[in-house]
Amino acid sequence: MLSAVLTADRNAGIIMSTLSPEIGNGLPRTDTEISANGNTVTIKVDAKDVSAMRAALNSYLGWIRITENINEMSDRNE
């Protein structure tokens, strides 16, 4: 089993609320946990193989990037 940990040190609440449904649905051949401590969010991914790990990390990083972009656009429009 492969393991990876992603940590973001800003917008923990927004990232948690955005990713929680995705983590609840799960990705094939992976187990994922998400937690927040203050303004830091940590995502732990365990995957059965390299392909599953790559797909999971690409998905979570993409969703975090989209969340950050939307948050930045919202801040500019306020």
Side-chain angles (χ1 to χ4, degrees), residues 25-39:
N25 291 333
L27 293 170
R29 303 186 319 274
T30 63
D31 293 314
T32 307
E33 298 173 13
I34 187 168
S35 61
N37 184 5
N39 205 29

Side-chain angles (χ1 to χ4, degrees), residues 8-39:
D9 62 357
R10 61 182 187 184
N11 300 323
I14 295 168
I15 293 171
M16 284 283 293
S17 64
T18 302
L19 294 185
S20 291
E22 302 302 333
I23 290 174
N25 291 333
L27 293 170
R29 303 186 319 274
T30 63
D31 293 314
T32 307
E33 298 173 13
I34 187 168
S35 61
N37 184 5
N39 205 29

